[in-house]
Amino acid sequence: MQRIIIPMLLLAFTVANGQMRQNQKSITISGKVIESDTGQPLEYATFVLQNADEPDKVTGGITDTSGEFSIETAPGKYNIRVEFLSFKTYSLNGQTYTSSTNLGDIRLQPDVAQLEAVEVVGERTTVEVRLDKKIYNIGKDITTSGGNVSDALNNIPSVSVDVEGGISLRGNDNVRILINGKPSALAGFGSTDILQQLPADAIEKVEVITSPSARYDAEGTAGILNIVLKKEKTLGINGSVNTSIGIPFNAQATTNFNIRTDKFNIFNTLSYFHRESPGNGRFDNNYLTDASQFDRILEDRDISRNDDGLSLNLGMEYFLTKTSSITGSFFYRLSDENDLTENDNQRFVDGSLNSRTFRSEDQGEKDNSRQFSLNYTNNINDEGHQLTADFQFSHDNEDVLTQIQESNTVPNTDLLARENIYENQTEDDVLAQVDYVLPIGDAQFEAGYRGTFKKEVNDYQLDTLNQGSGQFETNFDLTNTFTYNENVNALYTQYGNKFGKISFLLGLRLENTELKGSVDASIDSQALQDIVGQDVDLNFDKNYLGLFPTVNLIYEISKTQNISIGYNRRINRPRGWFINPFPSRSSRTNVFQGNPDLDPAFANAFDIGYLKRWKKLTLTSSVYYQRETNSFERIQEETGEVTSDGIQIIRSVPINLSTNERVGAEAGIIYNPARWVRINSSFNFFTFKSDGSFNGVDYGTENTSWFARLSSKFTLPGKIDLQANSFYIGPRQNAQTDTKGMFSLNLALAKDMFKDKATVTLNVSDVFNSRKRMSFTQTPTFTSDSEFQWRVRQVNLSFIYRFNQPKERNNRRGNNRPDDRDEEGQFQG
């Protein structure tokens, strides 16, 4: 009987709805699940569709990476239920659907009571794959507690940090560093030194952008690292206090404080640190020509650093309406650094010790930065129609005094030289940006403008001691003021859409770059050319106009696996100190000289990625190729001059090589076999080939290298977390230098206290004290065998206390955006 009644009912329903629906077999119920207070999409949320008349008939599915779902079913009356861990269940009963329906945004509210009851939080997969990037949440990494941003970046797949804090992406150090999607004083205007002064605890997530879309500026041939700082969205008063102390002696205190109401959000981070970071180095230099009085010099260096710093980030977001807000923020950083390098030199002739000297270099640097930012956001509707405008002004001032003294110790104690080097560098940066996003059905159109205007002024003065008079005299041959301007104006547009299983984002960016430099010195132009040693225009004005296309696609094989393809064109602009023609020296025998003839480098990059998720395992992988023209290479050569005691003076200079090519592959896994263990591992292999010559010397080279990391985290009895992070970078080469492989290991223990309101952490950075760069440099005139350690093993004990603030959880709480875009407004498909 049932087989007869049901078809009859369906027939009657069809007739009642007219002849147009006669052939319709099914309808589609679709929509999107997002978090209520941030608008962020919730991936893997469960959508349940229950037949209201026959409760045993249940269908449904899970949301994709954009929080979207689409379920095919027969027309009828249904009960709807949406569930997600740590969120309140959304229910809607007795809904009749006779045609395909889009439910729009379904907003889930966090379940605070459930959050407090969950014993293990933040254990979800910590990598998210978008059309143009991978997003890593590092808030749960206890090995970086009490550390700095550089320490945190060293645990991110695809990223490596060398012993001096230099950051590279897939083995390429031409990487663009952004803070919250913009160049910032917090990142030191591209200098990675500043990142060692910012606490790791301030980071919410790191975006690894190897195939940037057109919305990003085209700077950085390796790609972009976007560091997203925490910004609490919880209503009320909340915050945290984080303190740490360590050996060698360092101390740090960071406070985060937020006041959030329905009308405004005030956020504040205040941090102070004192850090002592001893290092060391050993250099064995052999000279192969008769130009030097000595045929071998051994250098033993001891380095002590004492750094004090204070940073403040204060801002307020004011909600003009329910859909628009204006945010103003102020950042200030003050640091006082003192580095003392003591160098014991042994000098040999025909294998026998001829003389011995002792050199001390005492460098004091006072640095202060300030930045003002203003943002306007208007979410015109809930479909993602949006207009944003940004203005940012940054000012940085550095005063450096370097006092150098070198004396004989064998066979006499005569003074060889005393020098005082005064440097003052100021930098002013202005950023203006407007972005417009227009949804067109399932598609999305974007357009915008970004202008960045930079001015650097570098004032350099060298004073040397006249031993006859006992007075310091200014060396006017090297004293100078160099002014550098870099102005970039850009327009971009991009279009994203999704057809079935294919999502794509196509973009085009037009950039005009103006590079201007001028030298103010006390000597005439001919003397300038003699000092510089190059026939170049010291006062230059260069202009470049370029188109930068981008293509990003994702093919969704299933809900748990996809393939991505990316292409982009990039530019590498020379920094001011790379084109400053006046030599500056870190010693009497080593000088660095910029190259005013240095032109920007351009690169074309291709990337193919594959992602597969299982219940407890996530695999990410990719192969990539990059070809760069006019690439930069820093080379060393003789100047033809010697010091007063007969040592060759070596010059380092950046040049444009013809081309370089980089081919590589990388893979990463995140494995959660049980609630008490997590494993995160990655591997990157690449080959590098360059060609080009300078001053008749061929600097072409081939290099094959790799690096790998393994992170394991265990929850022990008593709710104690144990984490081990290991990293190995393989041997590598460039045109003149071979560098050996390097291994390091970090360990940490953490214990939650006071009902999870506090956490105490003990961590050891570089357990085996093995983070040392060992390299061998060979040129036609000299060789150098060296070992250098920037910072010795570090032990830290930290304590963090949270008030009215839940322990970190990875539910992708982010900016208050009710659409399917990330911090930069990127279309995710």
Side-chain angles (χ1 to χ4, degrees):
M1 178 64 70
Q2 187 180 26
R3 294 182 181 179
I4 299 175
I5 294 176
I6 293 177
M8 289 178 66
L9 291 175
L10 290 176
L11 179 60
F13 181 84
T14 303
V15 173
N17 281 274
Q19 187 66 33
M20 292 296 294
R21 301 192 180 275
Q22 187 174 13
N23 297 321
Q24 183 174 335
K25 296 181 180 179
S26 65
I27 63 173
T28 300
I29 306 299
S30 60
K32 183 176 180 179
V33 181
I34 62 176
E35 186 177 352
S36 61
D37 59 350
T38 68
Q40 285 289 87
L42 293 175
E43 181 184 359
Y44 296 141
T46 302
F47 177 80
V48 179
L49 198 62
Q50 181 187 45
N51 191 304
D53 299 321
E54 300 180 63
D56 292 339
K57 291 187 175 182
V58 179
T59 185
I62 60 174
T63 58
D64 61 14
T65 55
S66 299
E68 296 176 349
F69 62 88
S70 181
I71 307 299
E72 287 190 1
T73 188
K77 187 176 182 181
Y78 292 95
N79 300 326
I80 294 174
R81 190 168 71 253
V82 182
E83 299 175 341
F84 191 72
L85 180 65
S86 302
F87 284 78
K88 295 179 180 179
T89 298
Y90 173 91
S91 298
L92 194 62
N93 297 327
Q95 302 299 303
T96 300
Y97 300 107
T98 59
S99 62
S100 295
T101 303
N102 189 323
L103 301 178
D105 291 342
I106 297 176
R107 299 174 178 269
L108 298 190
Q109 297 280 349
D111 190 340
V112 178
Q114 185 181 356
L115 282 173
E116 293 176 351
V118 175
E119 183 174 319
V120 180
V121 293
E123 302 301 325
R124 290 184 59 224
T125 299
T126 59
V127 60
E128 302 171 34
V129 177
R130 303 288 172 84
L131 274 167
D132 60 345
K133 71 185 73 173
K134 294 183 180 72
I135 304 174
Y136 295 93
N137 190 309
I138 59 175
K140 292 279 293 176
D141 191 343
I142 61 176
T143 62
T144 63
S145 182
N148 55 51
V149 169
S150 289
D151 296 327
L153 291 178
N154 203 37
N155 293 330
I156 299 296
S158 304
V159 181
S160 57
V161 182
D162 66 21
V163 295
E164 294 176 299
I167 297 169
S168 61
L169 182 60
R170 291 174 167 175
N172 188 343
D173 59 7
N174 182 28
V175 56
R176 180 74 155 163
I177 307 293
L178 302 178
I179 302 290
N180 294 334
K182 301 177 183 64
S184 172
L186 280 74
F189 306 109
S191 170
T192 57
D193 295 342
I194 307 303
L195 299 180
Q196 299 178 40
Q197 301 177 12
L198 296 175
D201 300 309
I203 302 176
E204 178 180 331
K205 58 189 174 184
V206 175
E207 298 177 345
V208 179
I209 310 172
T210 53
S211 183
S213 66
R215 174 181 272 254
Y216 294 97
D217 57 16
E219 173 71 25
T221 55
I224 295 171
L225 289 178
N226 183 28
I227 301 169
V228 180
L229 302 181
K230 293 176 182 176
K231 184 180 176 183
E232 183 60 41
K233 292 291 184 179
T234 305
L235 290 173
I237 300 176
N238 57 81
S240 64
V241 178
N242 193 347
T243 61
S244 67
I245 190 168
I247 302 173
F249 181 71
N250 70 90
Q252 180 174 294
T254 302
T255 62
N256 291 282
F257 184 76
N258 284 77
I259 302 176
R260 172 72 186 265
T261 71
D262 291 330
K263 200 64 180 174
F264 63 84
N265 181 24
I266 298 176
F267 50 93
N268 167 257
T269 300
L270 177 65
S271 179
Y272 168 80
F273 74 86
H274 172 82
R275 186 177 300 121
E276 297 178 9
S277 303
N280 57 81
R282 179 177 174 84
F283 300 82
D284 187 352
N285 303 316
N286 288 271
Y287 298 91
L288 309 178
T289 67
D290 295 332
S292 175
Q293 178 180 336
F294 307 101
D295 50 38
R296 184 186 183 195
I297 298 178
L298 286 177
E299 298 183 25
D300 277 309
R301 300 183 187 178
D302 284 320
I303 307 167
S304 62
R305 303 182 186 88
N306 288 273
D307 300 340
D308 291 275
L310 175 71
S311 64
L312 169 69
N313 188 27
L314 176 65
M316 185 178 80
E317 181 178 13
Y318 182 76
F319 304 101
L320 301 171
T321 66
K322 290 183 178 181
T323 59
S324 64
S325 68
I326 186 168
T327 303
S329 64
F330 169 70
F331 170 77
Y332 178 75
R333 178 178 55 84
L334 175 67
S335 66
D336 187 357
E337 307 175 36
N338 184 261
D339 297 350
L340 176 63
T341 302
E342 297 179 322
N343 193 344
D344 181 23
N345 294 268
Q346 301 179 59
R347 309 190 290 190
F348 295 83
V349 175
D350 297 329
S352 300
L353 181 66
N354 175 270
S355 61
R356 195 165 185 166
T357 67
F358 182 81
R359 179 180 183 273
S360 68
E361 178 181 328
D362 191 355
Q363 182 181 84
E365 177 178 336
K366 295 184 183 296
D367 186 3
N368 70 80
S369 301
R370 56 186 65 92
Q371 176 177 292
F372 302 89
S373 301
L374 194 64
N375 166 267
Y376 169 75
T377 299
N378 187 352
N379 297 309
I380 300 172
N381 60 36
D382 289 340
E383 304 300 321
H385 194 188
Q386 186 184 66
L387 174 68
T388 61
D390 291 274
F391 175 81
Q392 181 174 288
F393 172 75
S394 305
H395 174 79
D396 182 69
N397 183 81
E398 295 181 7
D399 282 304
V400 183
L401 170 61
T402 305
Q403 298 174 302
I404 300 173
Q405 178 170 317
E406 190 165 359
S407 303
N408 284 326
T409 57
V410 175
N412 55 55
T413 57
D414 294 345
L415 176 67
L416 293 175
R418 284 186 63 187
E419 298 178 346
N420 290 334
I421 300 174
Y422 302 91
E423 294 178 87
N424 174 258
Q425 179 173 312
T426 61
E427 180 171 336
D428 292 305
D429 289 74
V430 175
L431 178 146
Q433 179 173 335
V434 178
D435 299 291
Y436 177 72
V437 181
L438 175 65
I440 308 173
D442 292 333
Q444 184 167 286
F445 168 79
E446 294 186 47
Y449 162 81
R450 174 182 284 192
T452 55
F453 311 94
K454 175 192 298 184
K455 180 180 180 181
E456 296 180 14
V457 180
N458 188 14
D459 194 343
Y460 181 91
Q461 177 179 324
L462 172 65
D463 290 353
T464 58
L465 179 68
N466 184 325
Q467 296 192 45
S469 65
Q471 301 295 317
F472 280 94
E473 298 176 352
T474 298
N475 183 336
F476 289 103
D477 288 343
L478 295 182
T479 297
N480 69 95
T481 300
F482 178 67
T483 302
Y484 173 67
N485 292 87
E486 178 186 292
N487 301 321
V488 181
N489 287 280
L491 295 170
Y492 81 92
T493 183
Q494 60 185 16
Y495 174 78
N497 206 341
K498 184 175 184 179
F499 296 105
K501 295 184 176 183
I502 297 178
S503 301
F504 67 86
L505 184 61
L506 308 178
L508 184 64
R509 189 176 185 89
L510 174 68
E511 285 195 353
N512 176 257
T513 301
E514 182 185 32
L515 306 178
K516 298 173 62 177
S518 62
V519 172
D520 183 11
S522 301
I523 53 179
D524 59 42
S525 58
Q526 183 57 52
L528 270 174
Q529 295 290 348
D530 294 338
I531 292 294
V532 172
Q534 306 173 68
D535 185 16
V536 296
D537 185 4
L538 302 180
N539 299 296
F540 58 88
D541 188 348
K542 300 180 179 181
N543 203 288
Y544 306 88
L545 182 67
L547 282 173
F548 300 90
T550 62
V551 179
N552 291 285
L553 302 98
I554 287 183
Y555 175 69
E556 189 177 352
I557 301 173
S558 68
K559 295 291 185 181
T560 58
Q561 60 179 327
N562 62 59
I563 295 175
S564 60
I565 299 175
Y567 161 77
N568 64 96
R569 185 171 186 255
R570 310 288 293 164
I571 186 174
N572 182 12
R573 304 181 185 94
R575 302 296 179 190
W577 66 285
F578 253 42
I579 56 179
N580 185 346
F582 268 86
S584 61
R585 50 184 173 180
S586 57
S587 72
R588 295 187 304 124
T589 58
N590 292 282
V591 301
F592 176 83
Q593 183 175 347
N595 179 5
D597 269 348
L598 205 62
D599 291 320
F602 294 89
N604 289 282
F606 301 84
D607 188 288
I608 300 177
Y610 173 73
L611 167 73
K612 171 67 175 175
R613 299 182 193 268
W614 291 269
K615 184 176 181 180
K616 298 181 178 180
L617 177 69
T618 298
L619 168 69
T620 59
S621 60
S622 64
V623 294
Y624 53 90
Y625 169 78
Q626 182 186 84
R627 187 176 189 272
E628 185 175 345
T629 57
N630 270 353
S631 58
F632 301 162
E633 182 73 33
R634 183 169 167 172
I635 57 99
Q636 291 181 300
E637 62 178 10
E638 282 186 295
T639 62
E641 301 177 356
V642 296
T643 63
S644 59
D645 49 341
I647 303 177
Q648 292 185 46
I649 297 177
I650 304 299
R651 179 181 75 150
S652 296
V653 60
I655 63 171
N656 285 117
L657 285 183
S658 297
T659 61
N660 71 50
E661 292 182 316
R662 187 181 301 268
V663 180
E666 62 181 350
I669 62 169
I670 298 176
Y671 182 44
N672 302 320
R675 295 181 66 187
W676 56 273
V677 59
R678 283 190 299 155
I679 298 173
N680 187 339
S681 179
S682 63
F683 177 83
N684 193 303
F685 175 86
F686 60 89
T687 62
F688 174 85
K689 181 180 180 180
S690 65
D691 62 80
S693 61
F694 183 71
N695 287 345
V697 179
D698 183 8
Y699 290 103
T701 186
E702 291 189 33
N703 173 26
T704 297
S705 189
W706 58 279
F707 60 89
R709 55 171 44 86
L710 174 65
S711 175
S712 305
K713 186 175 181 182
F714 306 90
T715 301
L716 307 178
K719 297 183 181 180
I720 297 175
D721 286 335
L722 169 66
Q723 185 170 339
N725 287 354
S726 57
F727 177 81
Y728 180 80
I729 183 169
R732 56 200 186 280
Q733 308 88 32
N734 62 20
Q736 294 179 315
T737 302
D738 291 340
T739 304
K740 295 182 179 180
M742 181 178 65
F743 172 80
S744 66
L745 174 68
N746 299 340
L747 290 176
L749 284 169
K751 167 67 176 173
D752 290 333
M753 307 169 65
F754 309 130
K755 298 182 179 180
D756 289 346
K757 292 182 178 180
T759 304
V760 60
T761 304
L762 175 67
N763 62 46
V764 183
S765 176
D766 193 12
V767 174
F768 300 112
N769 206 36
S770 56
R771 282 187 63 83
K772 300 178 181 180
R773 183 184 63 217
M774 292 180 283
S775 59
F776 181 76
T777 299
Q778 183 167 11
T779 75
T781 59
F782 71 93
T783 66
S784 179
D785 193 358
S786 65
E787 177 181 299
F788 181 75
Q789 184 176 26
W790 177 262
R791 185 179 67 181
V792 300
R793 175 175 47 233
Q794 184 84 42
V795 181
N796 280 332
L797 178 67
S798 65
F799 177 80
I800 181 170
Y801 183 82
R802 298 169 286 271
F803 56 94
N804 297 335
Q805 188 180 79
K807 189 179 176 183
E808 290 295 329
R809 67 186 193 278
N810 292 348
N811 61 11
R812 292 192 293 172
R813 298 171 65 89
N815 283 352
N816 192 18
R817 299 183 182 275
D819 52 67
D820 59 350
R821 283 167 291 118
D822 59 13
E823 316 299 330
E824 277 285 289
Q826 300 291 346
F827 180 76
Q828 299 168 14

